[in-house]
Amino acid sequence: MNTPPSPSGAEHTDRSSIRLGALVPLTRPGWVEAGRHLLAGLDLAVREVNDAGGIDGRPLELVVRDTAADPERAAAAVDELAHLGVAAVVGEYHSVVARAAAARADALGVPFLCSSAVLDALTEEPTEWVARLAPAQSHGWRIYADFLLRAGRRRIAVATQPSVYWASGTRILRDHLAPRGGTVLELDATLTPEALCDALVDHGATAFLLLVGHPEPAVPIVRAVRGDRRLAEIFIGAPAGQPEFTEWAAALGEDGAGIPFLRYLPERLGPLGERVGKVLRERLGEAPSFVAFEGWDTVNVLAAVLRSHGTDRAAVAESWPRVAVEGTRGPIRFSRTPDITVWQWTWTPVQVVDRDPAEPDRFRILHAG
């Protein structure tokens, strides 16, 4: 498996370094823009740790592996990274990929701090080896369902593709909405965009959620719905966060605005978040997404763990319940949460936001949980 060059030159041959394996989607069909933001956050934090003297004088070394949204590739990368002697594995954006990585890390006894993936069942059984910064899908998507109810949207249709992640999201929405008078109709995303529009009209849907990949098939579906006069009043949503990135705005322009999604940021960043955000903006050449902050927070947590508990893998894993770190989005502590199989930060701030139709580069906070 080839290693992409580290953007900071952090990957080197210094045997005294402490290696961290980083799993990031950097090529298609992975969500490349999310991967770029995640890696920017990870890399910036490594640079800052090293500029401050490293871990007891030893530099951190980020060993990056491209998962390309492939679960088997991610599992193989964990094997390789474990053989290379990493103290821990970090990163990953795609839930199904992170699940494969978490299972392998658990089997090998390698600590894995997952940055971005949200699938509740990140491992089949409870594990001491895995912790997570992103909120569980059930937490965020229930907040999104509450937003739909507050907006008076109860007849929900979803376009979905085969995936444990999309199936889990659909189930969360249905279980939360049904007792409150809501219904969820599943539509196969392999239908033509025109056929999807016909189904929305026939169903009398008041909201249509995109539980599909980006850019295909999300972009043509949005264009079709926006262009159908029969659906002028329908609400379009994308809880998984597709509109967060500039690629969405570039592909859809005004059609991509006014589509609410989940974002894991506070209403206002504190001094640490402001400082980190400013540097990330300079490095990325654009506003950093919440995924970039997740990357920075990941390394910040692990640096604190390594300083206080050393580099032994078992000691790192045993430290999760004792973590108390100030992150860019608030104080980070891990705990055991019902129905969540890993150590979980409960919770990062959760927002429902959209791109302002009057100014698509600006985000509006519509709801917070």
Side-chain angles (χ1 to χ4, degrees):
M1 187 179 301
N2 294 326
T3 304
S6 172
S8 68
E11 188 163 355
H12 52 75
T13 58
D14 184 351
R15 293 185 181 275
S16 71
S17 64
I18 300 170
R19 290 179 160 187
L20 297 180
L23 304 178
V24 188
L26 296 174
T27 54
R28 298 287 187 191
W31 199 336
V32 175
E33 192 171 4
R36 185 170 68 89
H37 280 236
L38 178 56
L39 183 55
L42 294 168
D43 186 69
L44 172 62
V46 166
R47 273 182 175 268
E48 293 186 348
V49 168
N50 289 340
D51 288 347
I55 308 297
D56 295 329
R58 299 172 63 189
L60 285 181
E61 176 185 345
L62 201 61
V63 186
V64 181
R65 292 296 180 265
D66 173 20
T67 64
D70 184 334
E72 292 183 3
R73 185 166 172 169
V78 174
D79 280 340
E80 182 195 6
L81 293 166
H83 179 72
L84 289 174
V86 299
V89 174
V90 300
E92 193 46 45
Y93 177 79
H94 298 284
S95 281
V96 294
V97 180
R99 187 173 65 158
R104 197 67 192 131
D106 181 43
L108 295 173
V110 177
F112 175 34
L113 180 51
C114 182
S115 303
S116 294
V118 300
L119 193 67
D120 282 40
L122 204 54
T123 55
E124 292 296 329
E125 300 293 334
T127 175
E128 301 298 319
W129 292 99
V130 182
R132 173 168 56 191
L133 289 176
Q137 188 180 17
S138 58
H139 178 70
W141 286 47
R142 286 171 188 152
I143 290 171
Y144 196 92
D146 286 337
F147 164 72
L148 292 174
L149 292 171
R150 286 183 57 180
R153 309 288 178 164
R154 283 177 165 76
R155 293 181 64 83
I156 315 300
V158 301
T160 186
Q161 295 174 297
S163 162
V164 64
Y165 174 67
W166 300 125
S168 172
T170 302
R171 184 176 62 254
I172 291 164
L173 292 170
R174 180 175 285 120
D175 289 349
H176 194 74
L177 291 168
R180 297 162 177 83
T183 61
V184 177
L185 171 72
E186 291 185 61
L187 300 174
D188 188 342
T190 62
L191 292 171
T192 66
E194 293 73 22
L196 285 171
C197 289
D198 290 341
L200 293 174
V201 173
D202 292 343
H203 179 62
T206 58
F208 178 45
L209 306 185
L210 302 166
L211 308 192
V212 296
H214 170 74
E216 296 291 336
V219 168
I221 290 174
V222 171
R223 286 186 181 137
V225 174
R226 291 293 201 209
D228 193 319
R229 292 183 179 179
R230 299 173 299 171
L231 298 171
E233 300 302 319
I234 200 167
F235 167 106
I236 308 176
Q242 297 93 323
E244 167 78 14
F245 297 98
T246 56
E247 185 181 25
W248 173 274
L252 283 164
E254 293 181 358
D255 283 347
I259 298 179
F261 62 94
L262 286 167
R263 182 172 72 166
Y264 309 130
L265 289 174
E267 185 175 356
R268 288 184 177 83
L269 292 167
L272 176 61
E274 288 284 359
R275 180 189 69 76
V276 172
K278 181 179 179 181
V279 181
L280 285 170
R281 179 184 286 272
E282 292 170 355
R283 290 167 68 88
L284 288 164
E286 62 189 17
S289 69
F290 69 86
V291 180
F293 289 100
E294 287 174 330
W296 194 94
D297 284 339
T298 300
V299 171
N300 188 43
V301 166
L302 265 178
V305 166
L306 294 168
R307 289 189 187 103
S308 59
H309 294 85
T311 60
D312 177 76
R313 290 173 178 171
V316 171
E318 289 168 2
S319 74
W320 300 137
R322 292 186 286 278
V323 165
V325 174
E326 186 64 30
T328 57
R329 298 160 298 150
I332 298 173
R333 288 179 170 80
F334 297 117
S335 61
R336 286 297 191 186
T337 303
D339 300 321
I340 307 299
T341 56
V342 302
W343 287 99
Q344 176 72 54
W345 178 18
T346 51
W347 301 100
T348 177
V350 177
Q351 302 171 345
V352 180
V353 304
D354 71 357
R355 290 181 174 272
D356 188 343
E359 191 180 341
D361 288 337
R362 188 177 77 87
F363 294 109
R364 303 183 299 182
I365 299 174
L366 307 175
H367 182 68

